[in-house]
Amino acid sequence: MDDTRLESFIGNLLRAGVLLAAAVVLAGGLFYLVQHHADPVAYRHFALEEEQLRSLSGIGLLALHGSSVGLIQLGLVLLIATPVARVVMAAVGFFLEHDRLYVIISLIVLTVLLFSLLDGH
Amino acid sequence: MTALTFTLVVSTISALAGFLGALTGLGGGVIVVPVLTLALGVDIKYAIGASLVSVIATSSGAAAAYVKEGYSNIRIGMVLEIATTIGAVVGAYLAGFTSTHIIAIIFGLVLMQSAYQSLRSWNGTADNLVDSDKLARWLRLGSNFPVGGKRQEYGVQNVPTGFGLMFGAGALSGLLGIGSGAVKVIAMDRAMKIPFKVSATTSNFMIGVTAAASAGVYLSRGYIDPHVAMPVMLGVLAGAFLGTRVLVHAPVRILRIIFGLVIAVLAIEMIVNGIMGKV
């Protein structure tokens, strides 16, 4: 596998990820509007009270229990995961190319990403 | 305002921002954040959280198209992403204890720069074709791109300077929730002497990874709120999709001028409101 084929594969994967994430967010959004369309929105200060919406495990639980905001948040997490998947795929691709230097570089980027995503949980 | 009205208003604004952002290549974040905070009074940190998500959506969504053109350089992107992601995490932490007034003022200043760039319609340094220096050779950053059916070789220089600038671009992205593609392109074009097309497409590839690094911090801080992020993400994505479709026929010059003027007005509003403590 050369760089161009690797990038093209990753590009298509990313687009699929974005479409999946958008579909989940849209489903959650429609579900949310059906239930809450007439609710007033305190949009000036949201103060996200639901602690669960801040952590990956909490979001998964909420979505599993059919919560509409949980579903939206799950879609957003899927979206945030697409660039992470991109770095993982690049690391794998470089590994297949026996390019040790770039496997290490990819893993450094991945470490920073995971540090940020898993921080505080 | 009811949830339905809010969702419709925000998704319409976001679609427009995504559309203009795609046409001008400057991204939707620079419009979404100021409009949400100035016109709707949304707390700037939630606006930034939502904008980050939309930045990831447009970057990841456009990646396949950019790869097809054959200009993006995955090695340059990956090396520089070490700097942008660390910068993004630092920026996101800084956002946690910087007052919203200060964030608004910095945002305004960055908008000023974007407006200037949009009005000037800068297309990069024309003749960026150099030989790689020692570090760039060791990192094998040089590559080639298509020119009239042939492959044109290019080299890369000044990696440490580019790396430093990329840290700054990442920090701005994490602090303000924008892609800061402009800074990335300037760093690659001016400092690293990379051809403009390569800089521009590689920058798009990097924007999503950079934004993901700060999005994680925003999520655990509770600044990614589903009520705001849902209409922003869907709106920007739909707008950007339309924007790339009509790009070929669009009067890009006129659009850049309109976009530049809109951003200039938003910049002044952000700075004034920040100084007066209203944002």
Side-chain angles (χ1 to χ4, degrees), chain B residues 17-94:
Chain B
F19 184 74
L20 282 175
L23 284 183
T24 54
L26 286 170
V30 289
I31 296 186
V32 166
V33 176
V35 172
L36 286 186
T37 51
L38 295 172
L40 295 173
V42 172
D43 184 318
I44 194 168
K45 286 176 186 168
Y46 296 90
I48 290 174
S51 170
L52 270 178
V53 168
S54 72
V55 165
I56 298 174
T58 44
S59 166
S60 288
Y66 279 121
V67 170
K68 215 171 284 168
E69 291 177 14
Y71 292 107
S72 59
N73 184 319
I74 195 169
R75 282 163 210 270
I76 295 175
M78 197 59 81
V79 168
L80 296 176
E81 270 162 12
I82 296 177
T84 61
T85 50
I86 294 173
V89 172
V90 170
Y93 276 115
L94 279 179

Side-chain angles (χ1 to χ4, degrees), chain A residues 7 39 43 73 99 102 116 119, chain B residues 3 40 72 75 93 139 213:
Chain A
E7 284 181 67
D39 292 5
Y43 54 83
Q73 208 75 336
D99 190 338
Y102 274 86
S116 129
D119 166 59
Chain B
L40 295 173
S72 59
R75 282 163 210 270
Y93 276 115
L139 289 165

Side-chain angles (χ1 to χ4, degrees), chain B residues 202-270:
Chain B
T202 304
S203 155
N204 178 279
F205 236 40
M206 296 169 58
I207 284 171
V209 176
T210 311
S214 32
V217 180
Y218 276 79
L219 185 73
S220 59
R221 290 277 156 87
Y223 291 136
I224 295 186
D225 186 293
H227 308 90
V228 198
M230 178 257 292
V232 169
M233 177 231 174
L234 293 175
V236 169
L237 199 56
F241 179 76
L242 276 178
T244 48
R245 287 294 136 125
V246 301
L247 189 56
V248 196
H249 310 288
V252 173
R253 236 185 79 77
I254 296 165
L255 279 167
R256 285 190 82 102
I257 292 170
I258 297 171
F259 193 79
L261 292 175
V262 169
I263 295 179
V265 172
L266 291 173
I268 295 163
E269 289 262 315
M270 283 297 263

